[in-house]
Amino acid sequence: MSTVFSGIQPTGGLHLGNLLGAVRNWVDNQGDTVGFFCIVDLHALTVPKEPGEVGKGSIELARELLACGLDPTESTLFIQSHVPEHAQMGWLLQCNTGFGELNRMTQFKDKSAKQKDFVSSGLFSYPSLQAADILLYDTNQVPVGADQRQHIELTRDIAVRFNSRYGETFVVPEAVSPAAGARVMDLQNPTDKMSKSAATESGTIYLAEDLSKTAKKIKRAVTDSEVEVRYDPEAKPGVANLLGILGAATDRDPAALADEYSQYGPLKSDTADAVVTLLEPIQERLSELQQDPDSVTAALITGARKASTTAQATYQRAVQNIGLTPPG
Ligand code: TYM
């Protein structure tokens, strides 16, 4: 069975982009793969946070991921800081990552531009920690949205470089993204990706929000002044985004769906219905889990234990291959 690893930051609630771009893939492949899914709390510290904020967000995110269908008996769900080898391996890999390579990362450029007062060096070296996350688990596939593919490419380069410097240590992973939904755009600014840090709330659909609000956001989505329904992300980003969301939610090809619509109104209401249908069962499970906080904690404890076994073995292999002096 191939091994799958992916991570997500505990910053704000899960949104539709996270679900369609990544989390749905994680859930759908359970049972056929060995899955490690990590709440990357250390990554969240790369931008300033209030005391306690990241810890609370991590538990909420765990609950949401379980509600989306991650099954702790099939997959390993854990919090990054519970497995210290992530930070330790992160350092080893930082020393095998080029400054120039990090300087080319578009996520760093975007995020550092938003930080007016303080840009941490952690934000810059973040992709080396992400590489550590992935390489610790001998990962074959990394299911991510399109915005993370550059980081996975860098992870591959780091793995190849380390293997050639120190001998065969890491499996070289590959990124996988869904055909539809790999890049869900903001409903109000369809040339920006949907994100938690969007300018307005109305462009982002949160998994836990009131579903009448969800439907309204989709019906008010920005389109264009034409009337033709056509899948053209360059020329018609708003319409293409709706077709992409509808395609992802109903497992259809967005371009083929375009042929079934001649007006924006029906496209919007079908998209709203499809998203509501997708989110309803998730919200039901979410409210069940809210009544059962112990099951969330138990999943995270078991997850950290399982993840540690693999992470410790890989970390030891890396240290041995580098040839650091063993203790004792
Ligand atoms: P994060 O927390 O920003 O996003 C989690 C996952 O959701 C995907 N995603 C989207 N997909 C489609 N459309 C969108 N608008 C959208 N927004 C987010 C992301 O591509 C991602 O798959 N650096 C990572 C976290 C990370 C990680 C890892 C991922 C840390 N270590 C190791 C994979 C492997 C991040 O910030 O994701």
Side-chain angles (χ1 to χ4, degrees):
M1 276 214 262
S2 69
T3 299
V4 167
F5 179 97
S6 203
I8 182 161
Q9 293 200 52
T11 41
L14 264 185
H15 60 71
L16 188 66
N18 299 135
L19 179 68
L20 298 180
V23 178
R24 231 170 38 139
N25 240 340
W26 307 356
V27 171
D28 289 350
N29 292 316
Q30 290 183 114
D32 303 330
T33 51
V34 177
F36 291 93
F37 302 107
C38 186
I39 295 171
V40 292
D41 56 351
L42 300 177
H43 278 96
L45 301 177
T46 54
V47 297
K49 292 289 181 313
E50 293 301 321
E53 187 185 344
V54 174
K56 186 167 171 275
S58 299
I59 298 292
E60 284 166 6
L61 180 57
R63 194 188 300 129
E64 290 191 311
L65 292 171
L66 294 171
C68 287
L70 273 192
D71 177 350
T73 64
E74 295 211 84
S75 298
T76 301
L77 173 66
F78 68 104
I79 295 180
Q80 188 182 31
S81 66
H82 294 180
V83 181
E85 284 76 13
H86 284 254
Q88 294 173 294
M89 185 70 96
W91 179 254
L92 300 184
L93 298 188
Q94 242 187 85
C95 298
N96 286 278
T97 311
F99 183 91
E101 287 174 315
L102 293 173
N103 218 14
R104 282 195 289 278
M105 294 294 114
T106 53
Q107 182 169 303
F108 173 71
K109 289 179 193 158
D110 293 348
K111 288 201 173 178
S112 58
K114 286 184 192 154
Q115 300 297 311
K116 293 281 171 272
D117 303 330
F118 180 78
V119 177
S120 75
S121 60
L123 188 62
F124 186 68
S125 57
Y126 175 120
S128 302
L129 181 59
Q130 181 160 351
D133 300 338
I134 297 166
L135 299 180
L136 274 173
Y137 297 92
D138 293 337
T139 302
N140 304 108
Q141 288 172 341
V142 191
V144 283
D147 63 329
Q148 291 300 317
R149 295 186 74 95
Q150 192 185 33
H151 288 166
I152 315 306
E153 279 306 312
L154 179 56
T155 300
R156 291 168 59 87
D157 293 344
I158 295 170
V160 168
R161 178 177 304 130
F162 193 104
N163 286 348
S164 78
R165 280 186 179 164
Y166 299 113
E168 211 51 35
T169 308
F170 296 126
V171 172
V172 181
E174 59 171 8
V176 288
S177 302
R183 195 170 169 79
V184 178
M185 308 307 277
D186 185 289
L187 296 169
Q188 288 301 315
N189 299 301
T191 50
D192 291 347
K193 69 172 182 184
M194 184 177 284
S195 88
K196 297 157 196 166
S197 55
T200 70
E201 260 246 318
S202 47
T204 305
I205 292 173
Y206 290 95
L207 262 56
E209 75 187 16
D210 193 279
L211 290 175
S212 61
K213 212 166 159 185
T214 305
K216 262 192 215 135
K217 286 182 185 177
I218 295 175
K219 287 178 185 162
R220 288 181 190 158
V222 166
T223 48
D224 51 52
S225 55
E226 297 179 2
V227 283
E228 189 195 2
V229 179
R230 180 160 53 85
Y231 185 71
D232 184 344
E234 288 288 312
K236 296 170 75 68
V239 173
N241 192 34
L242 289 169
L243 288 165
I245 292 171
L246 179 59
T250 57
D251 273 326
R252 301 271 316 272
D253 171 38
L257 274 171
D259 297 338
E260 297 174 17
Y261 295 92
S262 54
Q263 289 176 309
Y264 294 167
L267 171 62
K268 285 181 173 178
S269 55
D270 284 2
T271 305
D273 289 348
V275 172
V276 167
T277 304
L278 188 70
L279 299 189
E280 253 163 5
I282 294 176
Q283 294 200 352
E284 271 166 37
R285 283 198 294 271
L286 196 55
S287 60
E288 285 162 22
L289 286 165
Q290 263 149 359
Q291 307 308 314
D292 186 13
D294 290 352
S295 71
V296 178
T297 321
L300 291 172
I301 292 171
T302 312
R305 205 176 296 135
K306 280 202 277 179
S308 287
T309 309
T310 309
Q312 282 167 7
T314 314
Y315 180 69
Q316 284 312 321
R317 191 164 75 227
V319 164
Q320 260 166 26
N321 289 356
I322 293 174
L324 297 181
T325 310

